[in-house]
Every structure is written in structure tokens, then in C-alpha cells.
Amino acid sequence: AEMARVLADSNHVPLHRLSLLVHSVSIMHKSLDSMPEDENWKALTRNSTNLRVYIMAFDVKSDDMLRILKPSIPLERIHFDSYITCVSGAVVDLISRQYDKFLTHFILMNDVIDMSGFPDLSDNRNEDPLVLLAWRCTRLTLLAVHGYTVWAHNLIAIARLRGSDLKVLEVTEESIDFDQGELADQ
């Protein structure tokens, strides 16, 4: 929060890019209480109107991400990489709602070794958070998913929603799953 206040000062040259690294180890040793609040982000973007933020999150719990992601962050790129924890569908949904104007890159990687299969972000809901992300985030040019279940029909929906504007759609073959009815038709 203090860094955001200092950078928001009009005496500073406006920022264009801010890259943030959030790691579970640093969260364990430091409180999230010093993270910038929404007012801090608003002040920073008033002085730096072209600011875009890139967040890399390593093994950060979904609850912690929900505390970090403030509505006024001009989030352009986000990269989740997990070895212990998994990102929740709620976090993906929040990102698609709050950052629909700026988000261009969304990378979701899970290296958790779990014999029961990959986590499914849709949580057996009718609405898949990745499809909603592709629908809401009209500037999305890169979507990469590794180690999470992506249903084949949702993958097709994502490709159709973004069309040729989606320059990179990268999904691990093992992540793609089919409904049993679809599998019979294939």
C-alpha cells in the first residue's frame, strides 16, 4: 500500500507496466494487511492512466487471491502456477467480472499430483468460468490451461466467443474431457 501511495504521487513519471509476484511463501511470512486497497489503486491509476498490471501467483490460495484482487487494478495479464493449491472457479469468475476491460492474457497451470484427475473449475455448474472469461473479456488474446479439466464443448465455446482475436488457445490434451454422450458421438 505504501509503494502504491508513493507511486501515485504526481511528482513521479507515470507508470505503464507494473509486474507483481505473489508467492505462498511470502504470504506465510508477511500479512496481506499491507496490500494496496482499492483507493490506493484508484489513486495510482489517476496519475498513471495507461498503467497495466501483470500478476504472477505461485501456489496462492484462492482466499488470499480474493483479498489481493481489487476492482481498480488495471489487470492486463495474470498467470497462476500451482504445485500445492488449486485456483477456484470463484477466482476465475471474479477476474472475468472485474477485469473485462483490460485482461488480455490468462494462464492457468496446475502441477498438483492427484490421482483422481484434474480439478474442474465449473464445479458441476451450468456456467463454466473459463467460458464466462472468454465472453466477458473481449480483449483476451491468450488463454492457456494446463492441469485443469476443460470440457470439449466449453473449449469450442471459448474458441467461438473470441474467434480470431484469440491468438493463443493452449490446452493440454490430458486436460480436455468429453461428456459421455459426446464421447459416443466421436
Side-chain angles (χ1 to χ4, degrees):
E2 182 60 29
M3 179 190 72
R5 279 191 290 277
V6 169
L7 293 173
D9 190 325
S10 61
N11 294 334
H12 287 91
V13 174
L15 290 175
H16 290 280
R17 178 152 331 270
L18 180 62
S19 297
L20 302 173
L21 173 64
V22 185
H23 198 289
S24 61
V25 174
S26 58
I27 292 174
M28 285 189 303
H29 299 323
K30 287 187 173 189
S31 168
L32 288 176
D33 295 338
S34 63
M35 290 297 295
E37 293 297 326
D38 204 46
E39 309 83 54
N40 302 120
W41 285 107
K42 285 178 183 175
L44 182 57
T45 56
R46 270 194 298 274
N47 185 41
S48 300
T49 55
N50 293 324
L51 176 65
R52 297 299 176 263
V53 175
Y54 175 26
I55 295 178
M56 289 191 72
F58 291 101
D59 274 324
V60 179
K61 294 180 201 166
S62 291
D63 292 346
D64 291 334
M65 283 308 300
L66 292 172
R67 290 182 59 200
I68 293 168
L69 296 171
K70 304 298 181 196
S72 296
I73 298 174
L75 185 66
E76 181 179 59
R77 299 172 183 221
I78 190 155
H79 179 149
F80 291 103
D81 207 330
S82 303
Y83 294 93
I84 300 167
T85 63
C86 294
V87 172
S88 70
V91 170
V92 177
D93 189 54
L94 178 76
I95 289 168
S96 72
R97 289 177 191 276
Q98 287 187 172
Y99 309 115
D100 58 322
K101 291 179 182 65
F102 299 114
L103 193 70
T104 62
H105 290 66
F106 187 86
I107 300 170
L108 190 58
M109 300 180 77
N110 176 20
D111 294 325
V112 177
I113 299 171
D114 184 358
M115 301 314 282
S116 63
F118 294 138
D120 186 354
L121 292 172
S122 63
D123 258 347
N124 297 321
R125 298 180 301 174
N126 290 333
E127 300 166 335
D128 184 282
L130 292 174
V131 173
L132 291 173
L133 181 91
W135 177 55
R136 291 177 181 140
C137 299
T138 57
R139 295 177 181 236
L140 193 68
T141 59
L142 182 144
L143 176 62
V145 181
H146 301 282
Y148 286 85
T149 297
V150 179
W151 294 93
H153 62 275
N154 288 335
L155 192 57
I156 293 167
I158 290 166
R160 286 183 177 162
L161 281 166
R162 292 286 32 98
S164 61
D165 292 336
L166 188 63
K167 303 299 182 205
V168 177
L169 177 57
E170 185 177 293
V171 181
T172 311
E173 182 179 354
E174 294 80 16
S175 292
I176 302 171
D177 207 344
F178 295 87
D179 289 329
Q180 291 305 316
E182 277 185 87
L183 202 53
D185 292 340
Q186 294 296 323

